[in-house]
Coordinates of all heavy atoms in Angstrom, one line a residue:
M83 N 21.4 16.8 -10.6 CA 22.3 15.7 -10.6 C 22.0 14.9 -11.9 O 20.9 14.5 -12.2 CB 22.1 14.8 -9.4 CG 22.9 13.5 -9.4 SD 22.7 12.6 -7.9 CE 23.9 11.4 -8.1
S84 N 23.0 14.6 -12.6 CA 22.9 13.8 -13.8 C 23.6 12.4 -13.6 O 24.7 12.4 -13.1 CB 23.5 14.6 -15.0 OG 23.4 13.8 -16.2
L85 N 22.9 11.4 -14.1 CA 23.5 10.0 -14.0 C 24.3 9.7 -15.3 O 23.9 10.2 -16.4 CB 22.4 9.0 -13.8 CG 21.7 9.1 -12.5 CD1 20.6 8.0 -12.5 CD2 22.7 8.8 -11.4
E86 N 25.3 8.9 -15.1 CA 26.0 8.4 -16.3 C 25.5 7.0 -16.6 O 24.8 6.4 -15.8 CB 27.5 8.3 -16.0 CG 28.1 9.7 -15.6 CD 28.2 10.6 -16.8 OE1 28.3 10.1 -17.9 OE2 28.0 11.8 -16.6
R87 N 25.8 6.6 -17.8 CA 25.4 5.3 -18.3 C 25.9 4.2 -17.3 O 25.2 3.2 -17.0 CB 25.9 5.1 -19.7 CG 25.4 3.8 -20.3 CD 26.0 3.7 -21.7 NE 25.7 2.4 -22.3 CZ 24.9 2.2 -23.3 NH1 24.2 3.2 -23.8 NH2 24.7 1.0 -23.8
S88 N 27.1 4.3 -16.9 CA 27.7 3.3 -16.0 C 27.0 3.3 -14.6 O 26.8 2.2 -14.0 CB 29.1 3.5 -15.7 OG 29.4 4.8 -15.2
D89 N 26.5 4.4 -14.2 CA 25.7 4.5 -12.9 C 24.4 3.7 -13.1 O 24.0 3.0 -12.1 CB 25.4 6.0 -12.6 CG 26.6 6.8 -12.2 OD1 27.6 6.2 -11.8 OD2 26.5 8.0 -12.5
V90 N 23.7 3.9 -14.2 CA 22.5 3.1 -14.4 C 22.7 1.7 -14.5 O 21.9 0.9 -14.0 CB 21.7 3.7 -15.6 CG1 20.5 2.9 -15.9 CG2 21.4 5.2 -15.4
E91 N 23.8 1.3 -15.1 CA 24.1 -0.1 -15.2 C 24.4 -0.7 -13.9 O 23.8 -1.8 -13.6 CB 25.3 -0.4 -16.1 CG 25.2 -0.1 -17.6 CD 26.5 -0.2 -18.3 OE1 27.5 0.0 -17.7 OE2 26.3 -0.4 -19.6
K92 N 25.0 0.0 -13.0 CA 25.3 -0.5 -11.6 C 23.9 -0.5 -10.8 O 23.7 -1.5 -10.1 CB 26.2 0.5 -10.9 CG 26.7 0.0 -9.6 CD 27.8 0.9 -9.1 CE 28.4 0.4 -7.8 NZ 29.5 1.2 -7.3
I93 N 23.1 0.5 -11.0 CA 21.8 0.5 -10.2 C 21.0 -0.6 -10.7 O 20.3 -1.3 -9.9 CB 21.1 1.9 -10.5 CG1 21.9 3.0 -9.7 CG2 19.7 1.8 -10.0 CD1 21.4 4.4 -10.2
A94 N 20.9 -0.9 -12.0 CA 20.1 -2.0 -12.5 C 20.6 -3.3 -12.0 O 19.9 -4.2 -11.6 CB 20.1 -1.9 -14.1
H95 N 21.9 -3.5 -11.9 CA 22.5 -4.7 -11.4 C 22.1 -4.9 -9.9 O 21.7 -6.0 -9.5 CB 24.0 -4.7 -11.6 CG 24.7 -5.9 -10.9 ND1 24.6 -7.1 -11.5 CD2 25.4 -6.0 -9.8 CE1 25.2 -8.0 -10.7 NE2 25.8 -7.3 -9.6
L96 N 22.2 -3.8 -9.2 CA 22.0 -3.9 -7.7 C 20.5 -4.2 -7.5 O 20.1 -4.9 -6.5 CB 22.4 -2.7 -7.0 CG 23.9 -2.4 -6.9 CD1 24.2 -1.0 -6.3 CD2 24.5 -3.5 -6.0
A97 N 19.6 -3.6 -8.4 CA 18.1 -3.8 -8.2 C 17.7 -5.0 -8.9 O 16.5 -5.3 -8.9 CB 17.4 -2.6 -8.8
R98 N 18.6 -5.8 -9.6 CA 18.2 -7.0 -10.3 C 17.2 -6.7 -11.4 O 16.3 -7.4 -11.6 CB 17.7 -8.1 -9.4 CG 18.7 -8.5 -8.2 CD 19.9 -9.1 -8.8 NE 20.8 -9.7 -7.7 CZ 21.8 -9.1 -7.2 NH1 22.3 -7.9 -7.6 NH2 22.6 -9.7 -6.3
L99 N 17.4 -5.6 -12.1 CA 16.6 -5.2 -13.2 C 17.3 -5.6 -14.5 O 18.5 -5.3 -14.7 CB 16.3 -3.7 -13.2 CG 15.5 -3.3 -12.0 CD1 15.3 -1.8 -12.0 CD2 14.1 -3.9 -11.9
A100 N 16.6 -6.2 -15.4 CA 17.1 -6.5 -16.8 C 16.9 -5.2 -17.7 O 15.8 -5.0 -18.1 CB 16.5 -7.7 -17.3
V101 N 18.0 -4.5 -17.9 CA 17.9 -3.3 -18.8 C 18.8 -3.6 -20.0 O 20.0 -3.8 -19.8 CB 18.3 -2.0 -18.1 CG1 18.3 -0.9 -19.0 CG2 17.5 -1.8 -16.8
S102 N 18.2 -3.7 -21.2 CA 18.9 -4.0 -22.4 C 19.8 -2.9 -22.8 O 19.5 -1.7 -22.4 CB 18.0 -4.5 -23.5 OG 17.3 -3.3 -23.9
E103 N 20.7 -3.1 -23.6 CA 21.6 -2.1 -24.2 C 20.8 -1.0 -25.0 O 21.1 0.2 -24.9 CB 22.7 -2.6 -25.1 CG 23.7 -3.5 -24.4 CD 24.6 -2.6 -23.5 OE1 24.9 -1.5 -23.9 OE2 25.0 -3.1 -22.4
D104 N 19.7 -1.4 -25.6 CA 18.9 -0.5 -26.4 C 18.1 0.4 -25.4 O 17.9 1.6 -25.8 CB 17.9 -1.3 -27.2 CG 18.5 -2.2 -28.2 OD1 19.7 -1.9 -28.6 OD2 17.9 -3.2 -28.7
E105 N 17.8 0.0 -24.3 CA 17.0 0.8 -23.3 C 17.8 1.6 -22.4 O 17.3 2.5 -21.8 CB 16.1 -0.2 -22.4 CG 15.1 -1.0 -23.1 CD 14.5 -2.0 -22.2 OE1 15.2 -2.7 -21.4 OE2 13.3 -2.2 -22.2
L106 N 19.1 1.3 -22.3 CA 20.0 1.9 -21.4 C 20.1 3.5 -21.5 O 20.0 4.2 -20.5 CB 21.4 1.4 -21.4 CG 22.2 1.4 -20.2 CD1 21.5 1.0 -19.0 CD2 23.5 0.7 -20.4
D107 N 20.2 4.0 -22.7 CA 20.2 5.5 -22.9 C 18.9 6.1 -22.5 O 18.9 7.2 -21.8 CB 20.6 5.8 -24.3 CG 22.0 5.4 -24.7 OD1 22.9 5.5 -23.8 OD2 22.2 5.1 -25.8
A108 N 17.8 5.5 -22.8 CA 16.5 6.1 -22.4 C 16.3 6.0 -20.9 O 15.8 7.0 -20.3 CB 15.4 5.4 -23.2
V109 N 16.7 4.9 -20.3 CA 16.5 4.8 -18.8 C 17.4 5.8 -18.1 O 17.0 6.5 -17.1 CB 16.8 3.4 -18.4 CG1 16.9 3.3 -16.9 CG2 15.8 2.4 -18.9
T110 N 18.6 6.0 -18.6 CA 19.5 6.9 -18.1 C 19.0 8.3 -18.2 O 19.0 9.1 -17.2 CB 20.9 6.9 -18.8 OG1 21.5 5.6 -18.7 CG2 21.9 7.9 -18.3
S111 N 18.4 8.8 -19.3 CA 17.8 10.0 -19.4 C 16.6 10.2 -18.5 O 16.5 11.3 -17.9 CB 17.4 10.2 -20.9 OG 16.7 11.4 -21.0
D112 N 15.8 9.2 -18.4 CA 14.6 9.3 -17.5 C 14.9 9.4 -16.1 O 14.4 10.2 -15.4 CB 13.7 8.1 -17.8 CG 13.0 8.0 -19.1 OD1 12.9 9.0 -19.8 OD2 12.5 6.9 -19.5
L113 N 15.9 8.6 -15.6 CA 16.3 8.7 -14.2 C 16.9 10.1 -13.9 O 16.8 10.6 -12.9 CB 17.2 7.6 -13.9 CG 16.6 6.2 -13.7 CD1 17.7 5.1 -13.4 CD2 15.6 6.2 -12.6
S114 N 17.7 10.6 -14.9 CA 18.4 11.9 -14.7 C 17.3 13.0 -14.6 O 17.4 13.9 -13.8 CB 19.3 12.2 -15.8 OG 20.4 11.3 -15.8
N115 N 16.2 12.9 -15.5 CA 15.1 13.8 -15.4 C 14.4 13.8 -14.1 O 14.0 14.8 -13.5 CB 14.2 13.6 -16.5 CG 14.8 14.0 -17.9 OD1 15.7 14.8 -17.9 ND2 14.3 13.5 -18.9
I116 N 14.2 12.6 -13.5 CA 13.5 12.4 -12.2 C 14.4 13.1 -11.2 O 13.9 13.8 -10.3 CB 13.2 10.9 -12.0 CG1 12.2 10.4 -13.0 CG2 12.8 10.7 -10.5 CD1 12.0 8.9 -12.9
L117 N 15.7 12.8 -11.1 CA 16.5 13.4 -10.1 C 16.6 14.9 -10.2 O 16.6 15.6 -9.2 CB 17.9 12.7 -10.2 CG 18.0 11.3 -9.8 CD1 19.5 10.8 -10.1 CD2 17.7 11.1 -8.3
H118 N 16.5 15.4 -11.4 CA 16.5 16.9 -11.6 C 15.2 17.4 -11.1 O 15.2 18.5 -10.4 CB 16.6 17.2 -13.1 CG 16.6 18.6 -13.4 ND1 17.6 19.5 -13.0 CD2 15.6 19.4 -14.0 CE1 17.2 20.7 -13.4 NE2 16.1 20.7 -14.1
L119 N 14.1 16.8 -11.3 CA 12.8 17.2 -10.7 C 12.8 17.1 -9.1 O 12.3 18.1 -8.5 CB 11.6 16.3 -11.3 CG 10.2 16.6 -10.7 CD1 9.8 18.0 -11.1 CD2 9.3 15.6 -11.2
V120 N 13.4 16.2 -8.6 CA 13.5 16.0 -7.2 C 14.3 17.2 -6.6 O 14.0 17.7 -5.6 CB 14.0 14.6 -6.8 CG1 14.4 14.6 -5.3 CG2 13.0 13.5 -7.1
A121 N 15.4 17.5 -7.3 CA 16.3 18.6 -6.9 C 15.5 19.9 -6.9 O 15.7 20.8 -6.0 CB 17.5 18.7 -7.8
Q122 N 14.6 20.1 -7.9 CA 13.8 21.4 -8.0 C 12.9 21.4 -6.9 O 12.7 22.5 -6.2 CB 13.1 21.4 -9.3 CG 13.9 21.7 -10.6 CD 13.1 21.7 -11.8 OE1 12.0 21.0 -11.9 NE2 13.5 22.5 -12.8
M123 N 12.3 20.3 -6.5 CA 11.3 20.2 -5.4 C 12.0 20.5 -4.1 O 11.5 21.1 -3.2 CB 10.5 19.0 -5.4 CG 9.5 18.8 -6.5 SD 8.4 17.4 -6.4 CE 9.5 16.0 -6.3
D124 N 13.2 20.0 -4.0 CA 14.0 20.1 -2.8 C 14.4 21.6 -2.6 O 14.6 22.1 -1.4 CB 15.2 19.3 -2.8 CG 15.9 19.1 -1.5 OD1 15.3 19.1 -0.5 OD2 17.2 19.1 -1.4
A125 N 14.5 22.3 -3.7 CA 14.9 23.8 -3.6 C 13.8 24.6 -3.2 O 14.0 25.8 -2.8 CB 15.5 24.2 -4.9
A126 N 12.6 24.2 -3.2 CA 11.4 25.0 -2.8 C 11.4 25.3 -1.3 O 11.8 24.5 -0.5 CB 10.2 24.3 -3.2
D127 N 11.2 26.6 -1.0 CA 11.1 27.0 0.5 C 9.8 26.5 1.1 O 8.7 26.9 0.7 CB 11.2 28.5 0.6 CG 11.2 29.0 2.0 OD1 11.6 28.2 2.9 OD2 10.9 30.2 2.2
T128 N 9.9 25.6 2.0 CA 8.8 25.0 2.7 C 8.9 25.3 4.3 O 8.3 24.7 5.0 CB 8.7 23.5 2.6 OG1 9.9 22.9 3.0 CG2 8.5 23.2 1.1
A129 N 9.5 26.4 4.6 CA 9.7 26.8 6.0 C 8.4 27.0 6.8 O 8.3 26.5 7.9 CB 10.6 28.0 6.1
G130 N 7.5 27.7 6.2 CA 6.2 28.0 6.9 C 5.1 27.1 6.6 O 4.0 27.4 6.9
V131 N 5.3 26.0 5.8 CA 4.3 25.1 5.4 C 4.0 24.0 6.4 O 4.9 23.3 6.8 CB 4.6 24.5 4.0 CG1 3.5 23.6 3.5 CG2 4.8 25.6 3.0
E132 N 2.8 23.9 6.9 CA 2.5 22.8 7.8 C 2.2 21.5 7.0 O 1.5 21.5 6.0 CB 1.1 23.2 8.5 CG 0.7 22.2 9.5 CD -0.6 22.6 10.2 OE1 -0.9 23.8 10.2 OE2 -1.3 21.7 10.7
P133 N 2.8 20.4 7.6 CA 2.7 19.1 6.8 C 1.2 18.6 6.8 O 0.5 18.9 7.8 CB 3.5 18.2 7.7 CG 4.4 19.0 8.5 CD 3.8 20.3 8.7
M134 N 0.8 18.0 5.8 CA -0.6 17.5 5.7 C -0.6 16.0 5.5 O 0.3 15.4 5.0 CB -1.2 18.1 4.4 CG -1.3 19.6 4.4 SD -2.1 20.4 3.0 CE -1.8 19.3 1.6
A135 N -1.6 15.4 6.1 CA -1.8 14.0 6.0 C -2.5 13.7 4.7 O -2.4 12.6 4.1 CB -2.6 13.4 7.1
H136 N -3.3 14.6 4.1 CA -4.0 14.4 2.9 C -4.0 15.7 2.1 O -4.2 16.8 2.8 CB -5.4 13.9 3.2 CG -6.1 13.3 2.0 ND1 -6.8 14.2 1.1 CD2 -6.2 12.1 1.6 CE1 -7.3 13.4 0.2 NE2 -7.1 12.2 0.4
P137 N -4.0 15.8 0.8 CA -3.9 17.0 0.1 C -5.3 17.7 0.1 O -5.3 19.0 -0.3 CB -3.5 16.7 -1.3 CG -3.9 15.2 -1.5 CD -3.7 14.6 -0.1
L138 N -6.4 17.1 0.5 CA -7.6 17.8 0.4 C -8.1 18.0 1.9 O -8.0 17.1 2.7 CB -8.7 16.9 -0.3 CG -8.4 16.6 -1.8 CD1 -9.5 15.7 -2.3 CD2 -8.3 17.8 -2.6
H139 N -8.6 19.2 2.2 CA -9.1 19.5 3.5 C -10.6 19.0 3.6 O -11.5 19.8 3.3 CB -8.9 21.0 3.9 CG -7.5 21.4 3.9 ND1 -6.7 21.0 4.9 CD2 -6.8 22.2 3.1 CE1 -5.5 21.5 4.8 NE2 -5.5 22.2 3.6
M140 N -10.8 17.8 4.0 CA -12.2 17.3 4.0 C -12.3 16.5 5.3 O -11.4 15.8 5.7 CB -12.4 16.4 2.8 CG -12.3 17.0 1.4 SD -12.4 15.9 0.0 CE -13.8 14.9 0.4
A141 N -13.5 16.6 5.8 CA -13.9 15.7 6.9 C -14.5 14.5 6.4 O -15.3 14.5 5.5 CB -14.8 16.4 7.9
Q142 N -14.2 13.4 7.0 CA -14.9 12.1 6.6 C -16.3 12.0 7.0 O -16.7 12.3 8.2 CB -14.1 10.9 7.2 CG -14.5 9.6 6.7 CD -13.7 8.5 7.2 OE1 -12.9 8.6 8.1 NE2 -14.0 7.3 6.8
R143 N -17.2 11.7 6.1 CA -18.6 11.6 6.4 C -18.8 10.2 7.0 O -18.5 9.2 6.4 CB -19.4 11.8 5.1 CG -19.3 13.2 4.6 CD -20.1 13.3 3.3 NE -19.6 12.3 2.3 CZ -20.0 12.2 1.1 NH1 -21.0 13.1 0.7 NH2 -19.6 11.4 0.3
L144 N -19.4 10.2 8.2 CA -19.7 9.0 8.8 C -21.2 8.8 9.0 O -22.0 9.7 9.1 CB -19.1 9.0 10.3 CG -17.6 9.2 10.3 CD1 -17.2 9.3 11.8 CD2 -16.9 8.1 9.6
R145 N -21.6 7.6 8.8 CA -23.0 7.2 8.9 C -23.4 7.1 10.4 O -22.4 6.9 11.2 CB -23.4 6.0 8.1 CG -22.7 4.7 8.7 CD -23.2 3.5 7.9 NE -22.5 2.3 8.2 CZ -22.6 1.6 9.4 NH1 -23.6 2.0 10.2 NH2 -21.9 0.5 9.6
T146 N -24.6 7.2 10.8 CA -25.0 7.0 12.1 C -24.8 5.5 12.5 O -25.0 4.6 11.7 CB -26.4 7.4 12.4 OG1 -27.2 6.6 11.4 CG2 -26.7 8.9 12.1
D147 N -24.4 5.3 13.7 CA -24.1 3.9 14.2 C -25.5 3.3 14.7 O -25.9 3.4 15.8 CB -23.1 4.0 15.4 CG -22.6 2.6 15.7 OD1 -22.8 1.7 14.9 OD2 -22.0 2.5 16.8
E148 N -26.1 2.6 13.8 CA -27.4 2.0 14.1 C -27.3 0.5 13.6 O -26.7 0.2 12.7 CB -28.5 2.7 13.3 CG -28.7 4.1 13.6 CD -29.7 4.8 12.7 OE1 -30.1 4.2 11.7 OE2 -30.2 5.9 13.0
V149 N -28.1 -0.3 14.4 CA -28.1 -1.7 14.0 C -29.0 -1.8 12.7 O -30.1 -1.3 12.6 CB -28.9 -2.5 15.1 CG1 -29.1 -4.0 14.7 CG2 -28.1 -2.4 16.4
S150 N -28.4 -2.5 11.7 CA -29.0 -2.7 10.4 C -29.4 -4.1 10.1 O -30.1 -4.4 9.2 CB -28.2 -2.2 9.3 OG -26.9 -2.8 9.2
E151 N -29.0 -5.0 11.0 CA -29.3 -6.5 10.8 C -29.8 -7.0 12.1 O -29.3 -6.6 13.1 CB -28.0 -7.2 10.2 CG -27.6 -6.8 8.9 CD -26.3 -7.6 8.5 OE1 -26.0 -8.7 9.1 OE2 -25.7 -7.3 7.5
T152 N -30.6 -8.0 12.0 CA -31.1 -8.7 13.2 C -30.2 -9.7 13.6 O -29.4 -10.3 12.8 CB -32.5 -9.3 13.0 OG1 -32.4 -10.2 11.9 CG2 -33.5 -8.2 12.5
D153 N -30.2 -10.1 14.9 CA -29.4 -11.2 15.5 C -29.9 -12.5 15.0 O -31.0 -12.9 15.4 CB -29.4 -11.0 17.0 CG -28.5 -12.1 17.6 OD1 -27.6 -12.7 16.9 OD2 -28.5 -12.3 18.8
Q154 N -29.1 -13.2 14.3 CA -29.6 -14.6 13.7 C -28.6 -15.6 14.2 O -28.4 -16.6 13.5 CB -29.6 -14.5 12.2 CG -30.6 -13.5 11.7 CD -30.7 -13.5 10.1 OE1 -30.6 -14.6 9.6 NE2 -31.0 -12.4 9.6
R155 N -27.9 -15.4 15.3 CA -26.9 -16.3 15.8 C -27.5 -17.7 16.0 O -26.9 -18.8 15.6 CB -26.3 -15.9 17.1 CG -25.2 -16.9 17.6 CD -24.7 -16.6 19.0 NE -24.1 -15.4 19.1 CZ -23.7 -14.9 20.3 NH1 -23.8 -15.6 21.4 NH2 -23.1 -13.7 20.3
E156 N -28.6 -17.8 16.7 CA -29.2 -19.1 16.9 C -29.6 -19.9 15.6 O -29.3 -21.1 15.5 CB -30.5 -18.9 17.7 CG -30.3 -18.3 19.1 CD -29.4 -19.2 20.0 OE1 -29.6 -20.5 19.9 OE2 -28.7 -18.7 20.7
K157 N -30.1 -19.1 14.6 CA -30.4 -19.8 13.3 C -29.1 -20.3 12.7 O -29.1 -21.4 12.1 CB -31.0 -18.7 12.4 CG -31.4 -19.2 11.0 CD -31.9 -18.0 10.2 CE -32.0 -18.4 8.7 NZ -32.5 -17.3 7.9
F158 N -28.0 -19.6 12.6 CA -26.8 -20.0 12.0 C -26.2 -21.1 12.8 O -25.6 -22.1 12.2 CB -25.8 -18.8 11.8 CG -26.3 -17.8 10.8 CD1 -26.2 -16.5 11.1 CD2 -27.0 -18.1 9.6 CE1 -26.7 -15.5 10.2 CE2 -27.4 -17.2 8.7 CZ -27.3 -15.9 9.0
Q159 N -26.2 -21.0 14.1 CA -25.5 -22.0 14.8 C -26.3 -23.3 14.9 O -25.7 -24.4 15.3 CB -25.2 -21.5 16.3 CG -24.1 -20.5 16.2 CD -23.5 -20.1 17.6 OE1 -24.2 -20.4 18.6 NE2 -22.4 -19.5 17.6
A160 N -27.5 -23.3 14.6 CA -28.4 -24.5 14.6 C -27.9 -25.5 13.6 O -28.0 -26.7 13.7 CB -29.8 -24.1 14.4
I161 N -27.3 -25.0 12.4 CA -26.9 -25.9 11.4 C -25.3 -26.1 11.5 O -24.8 -26.9 10.6 CB -27.2 -25.2 10.0 CG1 -26.5 -23.9 9.8 CG2 -28.7 -25.2 9.8 CD1 -26.7 -23.3 8.4
A162 N -24.6 -25.6 12.4 CA -23.2 -25.8 12.6 C -23.0 -27.2 13.3 O -23.8 -27.6 14.1 CB -22.6 -24.7 13.4
P163 N -21.9 -27.9 12.9 CA -21.6 -29.2 13.5 C -21.4 -29.1 15.0 O -22.0 -29.9 15.8 CB -20.4 -29.7 12.8 CG -20.2 -28.8 11.7 CD -20.9 -27.6 11.9
L164 N -20.6 -28.2 15.5 CA -20.3 -28.0 17.0 C -20.3 -26.6 17.3 O -19.6 -25.8 16.7 CB -19.0 -28.7 17.3 CG -18.9 -30.2 17.2 CD1 -17.4 -30.6 17.4 CD2 -19.8 -30.9 18.2
T165 N -21.0 -26.3 18.5 CA -21.0 -24.9 19.0 C -20.9 -25.0 20.5 O -21.4 -26.1 21.1 CB -22.2 -24.0 18.6 OG1 -23.4 -24.7 19.1 CG2 -22.3 -23.8 17.1
E166 N -20.4 -24.0 21.2 CA -20.4 -23.9 22.6 C -20.4 -22.5 23.1 O -19.5 -21.8 22.7 CB -19.1 -24.7 23.1 CG -19.0 -24.8 24.7 CD -17.8 -25.5 25.1 OE1 -17.6 -26.6 24.7 OE2 -17.0 -24.9 25.8
D167 N -21.3 -22.2 23.9 CA -21.5 -20.8 24.5 C -21.4 -19.7 23.4 O -20.8 -18.7 23.5 CB -20.3 -20.5 25.5 CG -20.3 -21.4 26.7 OD1 -21.5 -21.8 27.1 OD2 -19.3 -21.8 27.2
G168 N -22.1 -20.0 22.3 CA -22.2 -19.0 21.2 C -21.0 -19.0 20.3 O -20.9 -18.2 19.4
L169 N -20.1 -19.9 20.4 CA -18.9 -19.9 19.6 C -18.9 -21.2 18.7 O -19.5 -22.3 19.1 CB -17.6 -20.0 20.5 CG -17.4 -18.8 21.4 CD1 -16.3 -19.0 22.3 CD2 -17.3 -17.5 20.6
Y170 N -18.3 -21.1 17.5 CA -18.2 -22.3 16.7 C -16.9 -23.1 17.1 O -15.9 -22.5 17.3 CB -18.0 -21.8 15.2 CG -19.2 -21.2 14.6 CD1 -19.3 -19.8 14.6 CD2 -20.3 -21.9 14.1 CE1 -20.5 -19.2 14.1 CE2 -21.4 -21.3 13.6 CZ -21.5 -19.9 13.6 OH -22.6 -19.3 13.1
L171 N -17.0 -24.3 17.2 CA -15.9 -25.2 17.6 C -15.4 -25.9 16.3 O -16.2 -26.5 15.5 CB -16.3 -26.3 18.6 CG -16.9 -25.8 19.9 CD1 -17.3 -26.9 20.8 CD2 -15.9 -24.9 20.6
V172 N -14.1 -25.8 16.1 CA -13.5 -26.3 14.9 C -12.3 -27.2 15.3 O -11.8 -27.1 16.4 CB -12.9 -25.2 14.0 CG1 -14.1 -24.4 13.4 CG2 -12.0 -24.3 14.6
P173 N -11.9 -28.2 14.4 CA -10.8 -29.0 14.7 C -9.5 -28.2 14.8 O -9.3 -27.2 14.2 CB -10.7 -30.0 13.6 CG -11.9 -29.8 12.8 CD -12.5 -28.5 13.1
R174 N -8.6 -28.6 15.7 CA -7.4 -28.0 15.9 C -6.4 -28.2 14.7 O -6.4 -29.4 14.2 CB -6.7 -28.5 17.2 CG -5.4 -27.9 17.4 CD -4.7 -28.5 18.7 NE -4.0 -27.4 19.3 CZ -3.9 -27.1 20.6 NH1 -4.5 -28.0 21.4 NH2 -3.2 -26.1 21.1
V175 N -5.9 -27.1 14.1 CA -5.0 -27.3 12.9 C -3.5 -27.0 13.2 O -2.7 -27.4 12.4 CB -5.5 -26.4 11.8 CG1 -6.9 -26.7 11.3 CG2 -5.5 -24.9 12.2
I176 N -3.2 -26.4 14.3 CA -1.8 -26.1 14.7 C -1.6 -26.8 16.0 O -2.3 -26.5 17.0 CB -1.5 -24.6 14.8 CG1 -1.8 -23.9 13.4 CG2 -0.1 -24.3 15.2 CD1 -1.6 -22.5 13.4
E177 N -0.6 -27.6 16.1 CA -0.2 -28.2 17.4 C 0.9 -27.6 18.0 O 1.7 -27.0 17.5 CB 0.1 -29.7 17.0 CG -1.0 -30.3 16.2 CD -1.6 -31.6 16.8 OE1 -1.2 -32.0 17.9 OE2 -2.5 -32.2 16.2

């Protein structure tokens, strides 16, 4: 599919893009090339291809779930202005 100059002007207007007269021919050519590439990819036979979530077949390496920090809640809440049952109390901001 090839785009005409008037098509690109209309697309630019609808997308609220400022394309100058000097750039219009280059943008028209670039968009036509992109559409040509998409048409080529669309023509590829993908009947037996399973969809992939990621192009690399890799398993995510996970670290062991171990405690790495000590519980310092009492220390931090000792310097807080207001706490109750282990929670920080703050002024209400939305009524």
Side-chain angles (χ1 to χ4, degrees):
M83 175 178 187
S84 180
L85 292 175
E86 300 294 325
R87 186 180 170 108
S88 61
D89 295 331
V90 174
E91 288 174 339
K92 187 173 186 178
I93 292 168
H95 173 72
L96 290 172
R98 303 296 189 257
L99 298 173
V101 180
S102 69
E103 290 293 324
D104 299 336
E105 298 173 314
L106 203 51
D107 289 329
V109 171
T110 301
S111 174
D112 290 345
L113 287 177
S114 293
N115 289 337
I116 291 170
L117 290 176
H118 180 67
L119 177 63
V120 170
Q122 285 179 335
M123 290 190 302
D124 193 35
D127 181 23
T128 59
V131 179
E132 182 180 335
M134 300 184 328
H136 194 277
L138 301 177
H139 295 290
M140 296 173 49
Q142 185 176 4
R143 295 179 300 186
L144 301 175
R145 63 175 173 79
T146 57
D147 190 15
E148 298 174 349
V149 176
S150 60
E151 296 181 11
T152 59
D153 182 14
Q154 299 182 34
R155 179 192 298 176
E156 297 297 326
K157 176 183 170 185
F158 294 136
Q159 289 191 345
I161 60 173
L164 293 172
T165 60
E166 182 179 299
D167 298 326
L169 303 173
Y170 294 95
L171 300 178
V172 296
R174 181 179 214 141
V175 292
I176 299 176
E177 308 237 1

